[in-house]
Every structure is written in C-alpha cells, then in structure tokens.
Amino acid sequence: MKQFVFIVAFLSMVGMLHAQTPKIDLSLKNVPLKVCLSAIEKQCDYTFMYDNSIDVNQNVTIEAKKENLPVVLRKVFSQTSIRYEIVGKHIVLKLAVSVPSKATEGAKLMGKVTDSKGEPLPGVTIVIQGTTKGTISDVNGDYSLQNVSPNETLEFSFVGMQSQNVSVGNKHVINVVLSESTTGLNEVVVTALNINRDKKSLGYSIQQVSGKDLNVAVPTDLATSLAGQISGIQVFGSASSSFDDSQIRIRGVNDLNGDGPLYVVDGTPISHTDIDMESVKSIS
C-alpha cells in the first residue's frame, strides 16, 4: 500500500513571500543601541543575539520610513564597529574589528556542535543561560563566545534535536554532540504551503479518503473514483471521453500547464492513470 499527496502550486505564493518582508518605521536620535534593537524586534519576528563583547550602550541615530529590514540594519550598524549576519530568524552581532576587551572577569570560549554521526550542525543556538546573550554555530558547526564566566551555563538548542545544557567551569573549549529528538515528531504534516507539527493548527483543512472507500464501487481510474469523495475535488470528463481523459481540479484550480494536480509516488511524478487502484492506502 502506498500513500499519495496532492501538491498544488499557486502563483499567489510569490506575492505572499514578498508581503512577508518586514517594513520598519523608526525615528530615534542619540539613543543606546539596545533601545534601537528592541524597537526593531517589536516590528518584526527577528531577534538579535550577541555576547559581552558587543557594546549595546553606544548611541545611534536612525530615521526610517517603511524601509526593508536589511536597509535599516545597514543604517544602524554603519555607525558602529559591529557587523551582523542574518541566520534564520536570528540576527547575530559580532565585532567587525578586534577590540581590546575591557572586561577581565571572563574568557573566550569556543567549540563545535555535531550530530550523533559526527556531522557539523550549522544554525545551532547557543545562549548563556538566564540571559539573551549568545551566538549561532556557523556552517562548519563552530562557535565562539567572549567573556564567559566559569559559573555560567550554556544552552544548546536546535530544531529536531534534544536541547543540552553545559556548565562552563574552567573549560575554554566545549564540543557538544546533539541527539535527535523523537518527541512530538509523529504528527508532522507536510503540504505545498508549509510544514506543520499539528493538523489542528493549519490555516486550512486537510481532506482525506481511504483506499477502501475508493474501491467501494467497481474500480475504474483514480480520477473517477475520487468523484464525490472529498470536498473541493472536482472531476471533469464527458460522456464520450475515456478514463484517460478525466481531469481533477482542486477547488477549481489547475496547475500552470492546465493538467490538474501533480502526483508523486516514491519521489517520481506520474500520471493518475498509471496508479494501481488496489495499491492506494489513502489520499490527502
């Protein structure tokens, strides 16, 4: 038995992606950098991450009227010796040039994050417990933090992995191996629009019909058997047409070529007329 998924591409998705680009309004004069960062975070779903080497008390001035986030970031950090890097939904701040540290209570800490197979994990969030100070591992899984005190604890977290806390102590190098987490991964729903861990939190409904229901009538082709089984599915054909000419539309929408939905079996696109009705377990 195999399970099939309809994938429908909408032209409007392109417009949705552009619409999600955050627009920032700011009018700040000679305010501490941390005030500016907080104001930016309130207007978008990005968060800033930095360690003790970043001086967030230095003053900056910014005027922006509905400007894109990258433009605003360039305006802000061009006034400082700080460089930034956007990783996922985090904006990681680092010093653009080496600056002698004024603090002596902490030391530089570095390390590497890998999975159980020894492969590097990029994008792992490393935060000093109880603070907002931290960093993210690079493409090689490497990370570094400045001015970390021996009594502090590092929190390592990554999507799909078990989080891990490590006490710093007298260590200057901390290498961490993260294990895969199996908790809560049984209800992952993959669609053309997003990946969701809970069907209930999807913004639209998932319709499903079992292979048993498809074979109640005399087996024909997949398109004909789906008629009347799932709301939103329309099967088109004429009295003179054969099963091979049947067309399926989802909510009245064809794909860009007018051929109906795309069928993928074991990673290979096929025609619905080539699907063996007796091998269908369910269709969503």
Side-chain angles (χ1 to χ4, degrees):
M1 290 291 184
K2 299 181 183 295
Q3 191 167 2
F4 303 92
V5 178
F6 288 132
I7 303 178
V8 183
F10 294 94
L11 287 174
S12 59
M13 288 181 63
V14 177
M16 290 170 59
L17 292 175
H18 287 293
Q20 292 175 355
T21 303
K23 302 292 185 180
I24 307 297
D25 283 324
L26 288 177
S27 181
L28 302 173
K29 185 175 182 180
N30 291 329
V31 299
L33 176 60
K34 60 184 177 181
V35 174
C36 180
L37 301 185
S38 177
I40 294 174
E41 286 180 337
K42 290 179 180 179
Q43 296 187 46
C44 63
D45 54 352
Y46 289 79
T47 56
F48 290 93
M49 299 195 68
Y50 50 88
D51 59 23
N52 293 335
S53 66
I54 302 300
D55 180 13
V56 292
N57 293 314
Q58 58 184 303
N59 290 339
V60 296
T61 297
I62 175 69
E63 288 287 340
K65 185 67 175 178
K66 294 191 181 303
E67 295 189 30
N68 290 334
L69 178 61
V71 175
V72 174
L73 294 178
R74 285 196 295 270
K75 286 185 176 181
V76 172
F77 295 111
S78 64
Q79 307 170 53
T80 71
S81 60
I82 300 170
R83 63 183 179 91
Y84 66 92
E85 180 180 1
I86 299 177
V87 182
K89 288 297 183 179
H90 300 290
I91 303 173
V92 183
L93 305 185
K94 299 180 180 180
L95 290 179
V97 295
S98 297
V99 177
S101 176
K102 296 180 181 179
T104 59
E105 72 275 13
K108 181 178 181 179
L109 181 66
M110 62 180 63
K112 190 180 189 71
V113 187
T114 59
D115 61 16
S116 57
K117 297 180 180 179
E119 296 294 327
L121 286 176
V124 176
T125 301
I126 303 104
V127 180
I128 298 176
Q129 193 174 61
T131 73
T132 59
K133 299 174 182 178
T135 187
I136 292 178
S137 60
D138 61 20
V139 293
N140 298 315
D142 297 321
Y143 74 92
S144 64
L145 286 168
Q146 297 284 346
N147 300 324
V148 182
S149 299
N151 61 345
E152 291 179 319
T153 299
L154 300 184
E155 297 179 356
F156 295 80
S157 59
F158 189 69
V159 175
M161 298 288 184
Q162 294 180 1
S163 298
Q164 190 173 147
N165 296 340
V166 179
S167 298
V168 175
N170 295 323
K171 297 185 286 288
H172 297 287
V173 177
I174 296 180
N175 296 324
V176 173
V177 177
L178 295 183
S179 302
E180 293 184 3
S181 174
T182 57
T183 305
L185 294 181
N186 294 327
E187 293 298 324
V188 174
V189 180
V190 182
T191 71
L193 299 181
N194 68 355
I195 297 176
N196 205 298
R197 296 188 180 281
D198 185 357
K199 291 182 180 180
K200 296 181 180 179
S201 61
L202 286 174
Y204 47 90
S205 64
I206 296 294
Q207 302 289 329
Q208 187 176 60
V209 59
S210 68
K212 179 180 179 181
D213 292 334
L214 290 174
N215 286 294
V216 169
V218 177
T220 57
D221 72 335
L222 181 63
T224 307
S225 297
L226 278 173
Q229 296 285 354
I230 302 180
S231 62
I233 295 295
Q234 297 170 302
V235 179
F236 291 86
S238 63
S240 60
S241 66
S242 66
F243 293 144
D244 290 346
D245 296 327
S246 299
Q247 292 185 359
I248 296 177
R249 293 183 183 177
I250 301 178
R251 297 184 178 88
V253 179
N254 271 335
D255 70 1
L256 298 180
N257 297 319
D259 297 328
L262 172 66
Y263 303 85
V264 180
V265 178
D266 295 334
T268 303
I270 65 172
S271 168
H272 67 81
T273 59
D274 295 330
I275 297 176
D276 180 9
M277 289 296 301
E278 296 183 357
S279 69
V280 177
K281 178 179 180 181
S282 66
I283 295 178
S284 299

